[in-house]
Amino acid sequence: MKRYGNLWHEIIAFSNLLKASQQAQRGKRFRENVLKFNYSLEQELFHLQAELQSKAYLPGDYTTFQIFEPKPRMISAAPYRDRVVHHALCNVIVPIFERTFISDSYANRIGFGSHRALRRFTKFARSSRYVLQADIQKYFPSIDHEILKSFVYSKIKCPDTLWLINTLVDSSNPQEPVINYFPGDDLLMPLERRHGLPIGNLTSQFFANVYLNGFDHFVKEQIKAAKYIRYVDDFALFSDDKAFLQNARVEIENYLAGLRVKIHPVKSQLFETKYGANFVGFRILPDRIRVRNDSLRQGRQRLRQMFCDYHAGEIGYQEISESTQSWVAHLKHGNTWHLRQQIFRAINPSLQTFRGS
């Protein structure tokens, strides 16, 4: 397996740091921390470059908050200058790993995404009798640092780049507690091994794909599942052979134990596709695709919050209009014509009021 060196000069090049700052500020240009950084952008980037060059760089403290939709999770937000570093690193190392990913892994990859995943899932579901659908229990809090680093080391040999990766992984803040025991563990093993990555980091999203890349190849090449798809930690195998999927589940659980993760005991199920399956915010049925109720509720809550923000002077009409158009475009991926008309009737008077104000 080829290992890559001489990456450091690309990562800390001023042009890459400048590009990273432009990427990190997308959709956040007018936030106070971004404005402050951009006020002395060149000076900030040169300072960051010098810290990286001298190995004096240390990640800052995370800001954490809880979200409860679609499920309770702790989100960690890194300081803005650290997010610039995350982009600078990913700009160089993502292409190295990207070419090793399977075509049916869709999360956090340019040109892939949830809508393309939905189309693929629908195709598989409507051409198969059974589906084994599963997700990994508390995935991000469970990612084992030692195992993750071994995957990174298998592709990268540049010492400076590995220093930065280790620095970012080792500085991960404590995540929600996960105590799982696996074959060979003693009583203290789950407590002694460092695990957990902050969900909000760009690097965490990328490392999440790296962590399950070998698993993807195992399912495709060893289990020989012709119809398999993964989106972050949600994955599904399709077949007309129920026994094949039953055996696949056992093999999958054994493989994932080697990664020190477990599939969710309740949410992971084998069932007939004719009953419908939930995936990326939609419910896929044999003859139609519906928006899940919780996804629809979240969308409506976001719209209401934007109207409140408008009245508070925090956003303008253009932002409301663009966000609404984006949500409607998302809904169009399901059979939602009547739903979209209903939403338009509900929000149109408000939008007209805003436009005229």
Side-chain angles (χ1 to χ4, degrees):
M1 180 181 294
K2 181 178 180 180
R3 298 175 69 219
Y4 292 79
N6 300 317
L7 305 173
W8 189 237
H9 68 284
E10 296 181 53
I11 294 172
I12 67 172
F14 185 86
S15 58
N16 185 46
L17 293 174
L18 179 59
K19 177 182 178 182
S21 70
Q22 294 166 344
Q23 294 167 321
Q25 69 176 304
R26 285 175 185 164
K28 307 176 181 70
R29 285 181 57 197
F30 299 106
R31 294 187 181 181
E32 183 178 353
N33 57 344
V34 180
L35 290 171
K36 183 178 179 181
F37 190 92
N38 285 346
Y39 182 77
S40 304
L41 179 60
E42 186 173 292
Q43 181 179 344
E44 291 281 1
L45 293 180
F46 276 125
H47 187 206
L48 197 52
Q49 184 185 47
E51 286 187 3
L52 290 167
Q53 183 69 63
S54 65
K55 307 295 191 302
Y57 168 75
L58 288 174
D61 295 331
Y62 286 90
T63 300
T64 61
F65 56 93
Q66 292 286 135
I67 63 170
F68 300 94
E69 296 289 350
K71 57 186 178 182
R73 290 184 297 174
M74 185 180 84
I75 304 297
S76 301
Y80 178 69
R81 74 193 304 267
D82 291 339
R83 296 202 295 272
V84 173
V85 173
H86 299 168
H87 278 277
L89 174 65
C90 287
N91 286 344
V92 176
I93 68 170
V94 166
I96 293 173
F97 289 88
E98 177 68 28
R99 59 180 66 100
T100 71
F101 294 160
I102 67 168
S103 59
D104 280 317
S105 168
Y106 289 89
N108 307 311
R109 298 177 66 189
I110 296 174
F112 288 76
S114 62
H115 296 146
R116 186 171 167 184
L118 174 65
R119 292 194 295 271
R120 187 68 160 168
F121 188 100
T122 302
K123 179 180 179 180
F124 286 161
R126 290 179 177 174
S127 61
S128 309
R129 183 176 179 183
Y130 298 101
V131 57
L132 170 61
Q133 191 168 11
D135 72 1
I136 296 177
Q137 190 172 30
K138 295 185 177 180
Y139 178 47
F140 280 86
S142 299
I143 292 175
D144 186 273
H145 290 190
E146 184 178 336
I147 296 174
L148 172 63
K149 290 177 183 179
S150 72
F151 295 147
V152 172
Y153 297 166
S154 71
K155 296 296 292 182
I156 295 176
K157 62 181 180 181
C158 174
D160 294 325
T161 302
L162 291 175
W163 167 81
L164 178 57
I165 292 172
N166 288 335
T167 298
L168 295 176
V169 172
D170 294 343
S171 68
S172 299
N173 61 329
Q175 302 298 298
E176 57 180 304
V178 178
I179 300 179
N180 287 325
Y181 288 91
F182 299 93
D185 284 0
D186 59 28
L187 186 62
L188 297 179
M189 182 68 76
L191 301 175
E192 293 173 343
R193 295 183 70 98
R194 289 210 63 197
H195 54 83
L197 295 180
I199 294 179
N201 281 1
L202 175 68
T203 48
S204 298
Q205 296 164 15
F206 166 65
F207 288 143
N209 275 340
V210 172
Y211 202 77
L212 290 180
N213 186 34
F215 170 69
D216 292 337
H217 285 277
F218 171 76
V219 174
K220 296 288 289 182
E221 298 160 15
Q222 301 299 317
I223 294 180
K224 298 190 182 302
K227 299 177 182 179
Y228 164 76
I229 185 172
R230 180 172 66 83
Y231 191 88
V232 192
D233 62 320
D234 294 327
F235 60 90
L237 293 75
F238 301 82
S239 177
D240 292 329
D241 186 346
K242 186 176 183 179
F244 168 78
L245 295 178
Q246 289 172 328
N247 293 332
R249 175 166 181 158
V250 175
E251 293 186 63
I252 283 170
E253 289 178 328
N254 290 335
Y255 185 96
L256 290 177
L259 298 180
R260 302 190 65 82
V261 295
K262 296 182 177 182
I263 62 174
H264 197 288
V266 176
K267 297 178 182 178
S268 303
Q269 298 179 345
L270 195 167
F271 54 93
E272 292 188 65
T273 54
K274 68 180 181 181
Y275 296 116
N278 295 329
F279 192 64
V280 294
F282 290 88
R283 184 162 184 80
I284 297 88
L285 296 156
D287 59 344
R288 63 193 184 280
I289 301 175
R290 298 174 55 189
V291 181
R292 290 181 57 181
N293 289 336
D294 55 351
S295 179
L296 184 59
R297 182 175 63 254
Q298 292 172 48
R300 284 174 165 156
Q301 287 175 345
R302 283 195 297 269
L303 280 181
R304 285 195 292 269
Q305 184 61 52
M306 281 194 298
F307 293 153
C308 292
D309 292 344
Y310 178 87
H311 281 302
E314 297 178 3
I315 61 175
Y317 167 79
Q318 184 67 23
E319 188 169 345
I320 294 179
S321 178
E322 291 175 356
S323 182
T324 303
Q325 291 174 29
S326 175
W327 188 40
V328 170
H330 170 69
L331 295 177
K332 284 183 178 180
H333 288 271
N335 303 113
T336 58
W337 189 88
H338 291 290
L339 172 63
R340 283 180 276 128
Q341 297 307 306
Q342 179 186 11
I343 292 172
F344 271 128
R345 284 194 296 270
I347 68 175
N348 190 57
S350 297
L351 287 176
Q352 291 300 326
T353 299
F354 291 158
R355 197 171 191 176
S357 61

